[in-house]
Every structure is written in C-alpha cells, then in structure tokens.
Amino acid sequence: DAALARLQGAVSLADIAEADLVIEAAPESMDLKRRIFVEVEASVAPDAILASNTSSISIGGLAEGLEHPGRFLGLHFFNPVHIMALLEVVHGPQTDAGVLDRSVAFARALGKEPIVVKDSPGFAGYRHPMGPLKLTDLVGLDVRLGIAEYLHQELGHAHFDPPEILRRLVSEGKLGKKSGRGFYDWSEG
C-alpha cells in the first residue's frame, strides 16, 4: 500500500520536520511524554498530528503546554500489535474534529479497526489475545507497573494498586520478554 510505504522511523528531531503524524511510544511517564511533545511540536509543521501510544495517561494532561493542543490525541496500539486489529483513537478535550478524522483514516489505512474513545483513565481496552500474564510479559512488566501506578494515583482505588509480585519482578530486572524473564522464561526459543 502506498500509505504504508511512506512510513519511516526517525532517530533525531531533524528527521521529523516534514512528518504528517508523529506517534510517541515512550515509557508511561507523564513528565517524560510532555517533554518529548514540547520538543516534537517545535520540530514539525503546525498541521502535523501529534499522538501518544499511551495506554492509560490522560490525553488532555499530555496536551497541556502544547501551543496547538487541538492537533494532539492518543493512538493506542493493542499488543501484540501485529496480531491485534484494534487501535484506540483517544480524543482529548481540545482535539480538533479534523485531526480525529485524519487519525481514524490513518488507522484504517494501516488495516486496523479504530475505536474512538473519550479521554478517561485506562481508555477502553478490548479482546485480549492471550492470558493476562503472558500479555504483561510481552508489553513489559515495567510498562504495566507504570500504568498501574498512574491509574492508582489518578483513580485512587485500591483495585489499581500494583501487586507486590509485579513490583518485585521489576525491581529484580525481570521485565518480561525484552529481558528474557518475567512471569515466563523467554530465554528458550
């Protein structure tokens, strides 16, 4: 597909100057993501769409401090990305309707099934393709810990307080597939 052929990665901000869409996939830290977007916004055209792949952090909160918050939204790819057809398109309180429409079209061009949701902690989340522990290993235990800590902080409910085993595994460097060990042993084939 012609649209997919135009996709490219970048290793420096200079590489994204002409980008139509920039998707951030940094760890689940509000401060880190905000710093990235301030730099990205200064490096791209005013009509470029800025998106976060966050699975839990407030889109409205991430848009704070941007000069053009209307061009910002969430594009959350479900894991494992190559299997999951769903893509959450999360619009914040200031997201422009045209930006939302362009992002839905982008999702469809990727062959994904876009689900448009409002900005709320945790967004939607659907159709887990495997058990929750295996999925946590694929996503990364550190990522899941960050999500749980953020949701616990934002929602103040004990249900989101990260389990001690998750904290322990992360402190031991057992981050899932990327480190070779998490809830499962990934070191063998």
Side-chain angles (χ1 to χ4, degrees):
D1 183 79
L4 293 177
R6 293 178 33 218
L7 291 177
Q8 58 185 350
V11 294
S12 76
L13 291 172
D15 295 337
I16 65 170
E18 296 184 28
D20 296 319
L21 168 67
V22 177
I23 304 171
E24 159 276 321
E28 293 289 278
S29 163
M30 175 79 82
D31 291 340
L32 173 62
K33 289 176 183 290
R34 278 185 178 163
R35 285 195 310 269
I36 289 169
F37 281 115
V38 166
E39 291 183 31
V40 168
E41 184 178 40
S43 303
V44 296
D47 63 339
I49 296 172
L50 304 181
S52 177
N53 186 44
T54 183
S55 59
S56 63
I57 296 177
S58 164
I59 295 304
L62 288 173
E64 289 177 13
L66 294 179
E67 289 185 34
H68 306 282
R71 65 168 162 175
F72 186 78
L73 77 165
L75 289 176
H76 174 231
F77 292 80
F78 286 84
N79 277 302
V81 175
H82 66 288
I83 294 173
M84 296 295 288
L86 299 178
L87 194 158
E88 276 181 314
V89 181
V90 186
H91 60 92
Q94 299 183 64
T95 304
D96 292 334
V99 167
L100 186 59
D101 291 344
R102 286 170 55 200
S103 299
V104 167
F106 168 75
R108 290 191 177 124
L110 290 179
K112 297 293 185 183
E113 181 183 329
I115 304 168
V116 177
V117 297
K118 286 195 277 187
D119 187 18
S120 65
F123 313 132
Y126 297 104
R127 301 181 190 168
H128 292 288
M130 60 195 65
L133 297 181
K134 188 171 186 182
L135 185 60
T136 296
D137 267 10
L138 289 175
V139 170
L141 277 69
D142 53 336
V143 173
R144 287 287 198 209
L145 179 59
I147 292 167
E149 287 173 335
Y150 173 79
L151 290 174
H152 179 68
Q153 173 188 336
E154 289 298 307
L155 300 176
H157 193 283
H159 175 74
F160 294 105
D161 192 19
E164 188 53 42
I165 189 170
L166 183 59
R167 291 184 191 280
R168 182 177 53 80
L169 289 171
V170 169
S171 72
E172 293 172 359
K174 296 175 181 171
L175 307 179
K177 188 172 183 180
K178 63 185 167 188
S179 69
R181 182 104 180 127
F183 288 104
Y184 292 85
D185 183 353
W186 296 90
S187 61
E188 299 175 13

